[in-house]
Amino acid sequence: MELFSFLLFFPILVVCLRVCKWVADERDQECYILDYQCYKPTDDRMVGTEFCGEVIKRNKNLGLNEYKFLLKAIVSSGIGEQTYAPRIMFSGREESPTLADGILEMEEFFNDSIGKLLSRAGVSAREIDLLVVNVSMLSAVPCLSSRIINRYKMREDVKCFNLTGMGCSASLISLDIVRNVFQSYKNKYALLVTSESLSPNWYAGNDRSMILANCLFRSGGCAILLTNKKSLKHGAMFKLKCLVRTHHGARDESYNCCIQTEDEKGRVGFHLGKNLPKAATRSFVDNLRVISPKILPVTELVKFMVVSLVKKWNRRGSTKGTTTQGPIKAGVNFKRGVDHFCIHTGGKAVIEGIGLSLDLTEHDLEPARMTLHRFGNTSASSLWYVLAYMEAKKRLKKGEKVLMISFGAGFKCNSCVWEIVRDLGDGNVWKDEIEKYPPKTLVNPYMEKYGWIQDEDISTFKIPEDKLFKGTNNTETN
């Protein structure tokens, strides 16, 4: 009888033990953010309107049409008056950068933000097990991750990854690497470093699709400390719930819409094609299709299916050739599964487009708009400035969820969802000025000063140096 009982309960015991082990392993595979530090360059790198005018004036390849185009782009960009540029711009050498310029720009960020982050978290650099660095437009030997290891004297067995060419969506690609490593190794610390080097990438030509990048990007960066240690989960800030990556590189139209190339005179620049919005929309829709079931309740998904079927049926019955213009709507209420929306600050149109697609309010879009206004498009690091704004405004409460959405060359759309582990309220990079935001107006003063350009005759165009950019003492973007 005892033998029979043993044979009966032994398999049950084995199953229970395996379930317990599986649960324990799953906990070890969790990915937590312990802390993060956004980079705020020194005030001597702040970009003002007068300075921007001088930079534009230095480009002898621009004519009236190009000035008009830049004027319109700056006015409509949503970028404010206190963003930051690399030091090479202030020495007037943007058309002749050196490797040292790009490395200096990165080292200023590394020395500031990584040091502050590790000091505040009480973690030694030698405790870091995994280092992931993403800087798309600078490739140096030794790589930037090796420079960080040397600067902070990390361990000999630290695992490092150095990503280039990933574009503005690189932060979440780096995060995916951290997550995958955490699934295989227990009790680890990871340091994720994300930024962009602008020094070697100024375009000095007059191709409209390439000079636009000069107006959009600004200096910035962020260092993030992550772990999968169970003992630290209660002190963490965020817990990763899911991450989805969408890549449309197989589509020629998407691949070529955002690409580093040369113009007809051999000058290297970053081409932004007219079909970029279309490529972004396609990748965004495909990404939402995958992430929606992971974060939304079943009732919302069923509602979406019903609405989609009704729309499809109505389109069948509609007159052939009739189309409705307007933004593509997601068709679901994402607020049923997400509380906050952390949107890549790729530009005012990007923010507004996502807002229309997800039916977001001005309150939801405020963090992205203010980040674009204060810091500009800092490429892959921009998401973390948006997150820091939410935290500084004390919006982030325990148990709530944050959806991050980013776009990048390739063409890629990456997204992830974080669960807030505890109430947050640190100011991070916004702590000295959060009370000023949102400002009363986001109106750009550039048109008021330079609107006369619009009335110039293209056949007789010659801007007198004493008139062009004269008396410009307000700060603005370049």
Side-chain angles (χ1 to χ4, degrees):
M1 187 66 182
E2 291 179 359
L3 179 61
F4 176 75
S5 300
F6 175 77
L7 292 174
L8 179 65
F9 289 106
F10 180 73
I12 298 175
L13 180 62
V14 170
V15 170
C16 290
L17 289 173
R18 289 197 174 184
V19 169
C20 291
K21 184 178 183 303
W22 177 80
V23 171
D25 288 344
E26 283 293 306
R27 287 178 177 173
D28 287 332
Q29 292 175 0
E30 299 288 4
C31 182
Y32 297 97
I33 289 181
L34 292 178
D35 205 349
Y36 65 104
Q37 178 62 51
C38 294
Y39 177 49
K40 186 176 183 180
T42 51
D43 287 347
D44 60 340
R45 290 175 56 185
M46 191 173 286
V47 177
T49 306
E50 183 176 2
F51 170 76
C52 295
E54 291 172 1
V55 173
I56 294 175
K57 187 169 65 175
R58 288 201 295 254
N59 187 348
K60 304 303 181 185
N61 296 311
L62 298 182
L64 175 61
N65 283 336
E66 287 76 31
Y67 279 112
K68 285 184 175 182
F69 177 74
L70 285 173
L71 178 62
K72 184 178 179 181
I74 291 170
V75 168
S76 62
S77 68
I79 298 176
E81 307 175 34
Q82 294 179 308
T83 55
Y84 302 94
R87 294 191 182 279
I88 189 174
M89 306 300 299
F90 297 87
S91 59
R93 296 186 299 106
E94 65 273 5
E95 295 187 28
S96 55
T98 64
L99 178 62
D101 292 319
I103 292 174
L104 173 64
E105 183 184 1
M106 291 298 95
E107 287 185 340
E108 282 192 62
F109 158 53
F110 296 158
N111 295 341
D112 177 89
S113 297
I114 295 176
K116 287 179 180 177
L117 174 67
L118 296 178
S119 173
R120 190 169 62 236
V123 175
S124 163
R126 292 190 63 82
E127 293 181 78
I128 300 298
D129 302 289
L130 172 66
L131 172 64
V132 184
V133 179
N134 66 260
V135 176
S136 291
M137 305 289 282
L138 176 65
S139 180
V141 179
C143 65
L144 295 175
S145 58
S146 294
R147 293 176 186 274
I148 293 173
I149 290 170
N150 176 262
R151 164 66 178 81
Y152 288 96
K153 308 305 176 188
M154 295 181 176
R155 297 197 319 266
E156 293 79 2
D157 63 343
V158 63
K159 304 295 183 291
C160 71
F161 296 84
N162 196 91
L163 307 184
T164 60
M166 292 295 180
C168 298
S169 63
S171 271
L172 299 191
I173 296 172
S174 298
L175 177 62
D176 196 27
I177 291 175
V178 173
R179 180 185 67 162
N180 288 330
V181 172
F182 279 178
Q183 289 176 351
S184 302
Y185 298 91
K186 300 179 182 179
N187 298 317
K188 301 299 180 184
Y189 281 117
L191 178 63
L192 193 164
V193 181
T194 176
S195 186
E196 188 55 88
S197 178
L198 303 182
S199 297
N201 296 294
W202 180 264
Y203 174 66
N206 57 8
D207 187 310
R208 290 193 181 191
S209 70
M210 297 167 79
I211 58 175
L212 188 58
N214 292 347
C215 300
L216 299 179
F217 293 99
R218 295 294 184 273
S219 295
C222 186
I224 305 110
L225 181 64
L226 305 103
T227 190
N228 62 349
K229 296 187 178 187
K230 289 187 290 184
S231 59
L232 298 177
K233 66 179 183 179
H234 296 296
M237 303 175 74
F238 304 95
K239 173 183 174 182
L240 183 64
K241 301 297 290 181
C242 63
L243 188 151
V244 173
R245 292 169 57 182
T246 302
H247 202 310
H248 279 187
R251 299 171 182 258
D252 290 342
E253 189 180 31
S254 298
Y255 176 81
N256 290 306
C257 73
C258 187
I259 191 170
Q260 187 179 26
T261 186
E262 296 177 339
D263 65 13
E264 58 184 13
K265 293 190 177 180
R267 293 174 295 222
V268 177
F270 203 71
H271 164 78
L272 301 174
K274 291 182 178 179
N275 58 338
L276 177 58
K278 184 179 178 182
T281 301
R282 281 177 175 171
S283 61
F284 184 42
V285 169
D286 284 354
N287 189 276
L288 289 181
R289 189 177 292 118
V290 178
I291 201 170
S292 296
K294 299 176 183 290
I295 60 178
L296 293 174
V298 176
T299 52
E300 193 63 33
L301 294 173
V302 171
K303 175 185 171 185
F304 170 68
M305 289 174 62
V306 172
V307 171
S308 298
L309 288 172
V310 170
K311 284 182 178 178
K312 190 174 181 181
W313 181 263
N314 288 340
R315 280 198 299 269
R316 274 184 174 183
S318 63
T319 310
K320 201 171 184 179
T322 58
T323 57
T324 352
Q325 298 296 327
I328 294 178
K329 297 281 187 177
V332 293
N333 181 8
F334 272 85
K335 293 182 182 180
R336 293 285 306 276
V338 175
D339 302 284
H340 307 280
F341 297 84
C342 193
I343 302 168
H344 168 56
T345 58
K348 189 167 72 172
V350 172
I351 297 169
E352 290 176 352
I354 293 177
L356 288 169
S357 296
L358 301 183
D359 199 22
L360 303 182
T361 65
E362 280 301 314
H363 178 79
D364 298 322
L365 298 177
E366 180 186 307
R369 288 192 195 279
M370 296 307 108
T371 298
L372 179 65
H373 182 265
R374 175 61 181 87
F375 293 99
N377 179 358
T378 58
S379 189
S381 65
S382 65
L383 287 173
W384 306 99
Y385 288 86
V386 179
L387 188 67
Y389 182 90
M390 297 176 187
E391 185 183 358
K393 283 291 185 181
K394 296 180 169 49
R395 293 187 182 187
L396 305 180
K397 305 299 180 184
K398 180 179 178 180
E400 294 180 341
K401 292 183 176 63
V402 181
L403 172 63
M404 283 185 166
I405 304 168
S406 65
F407 299 92
F411 194 86
K412 300 181 285 290
C413 175
N414 300 325
S415 63
C416 72
V417 174
W418 296 98
E419 180 182 337
I420 303 168
V421 177
R422 54 185 171 86
D423 290 355
L424 301 174
D426 182 66
N428 206 297
V429 76
W430 293 90
K431 64 182 177 182
D432 296 328
E433 50 192 318
I434 192 60
E435 297 304 324
K436 302 175 187 176
Y437 286 86
K440 292 180 180 178
T441 178
L442 296 177
V443 173
N444 191 306
Y446 205 100
M447 181 62 81
E448 183 181 336
K449 291 182 176 295
Y450 306 122
W452 58 268
I453 293 178
Q454 304 288 6
D455 302 323
E456 287 292 315
D457 183 357
I458 196 166
S459 60
T460 60
F461 175 62
K462 184 175 179 182
I463 302 180
E465 290 202 1
D466 61 343
K467 184 178 182 184
L468 181 60
F469 314 117
K470 182 181 178 182
T472 53
N473 51 16
N474 289 337
T475 54
E476 188 44 62
T477 61
N478 64 328

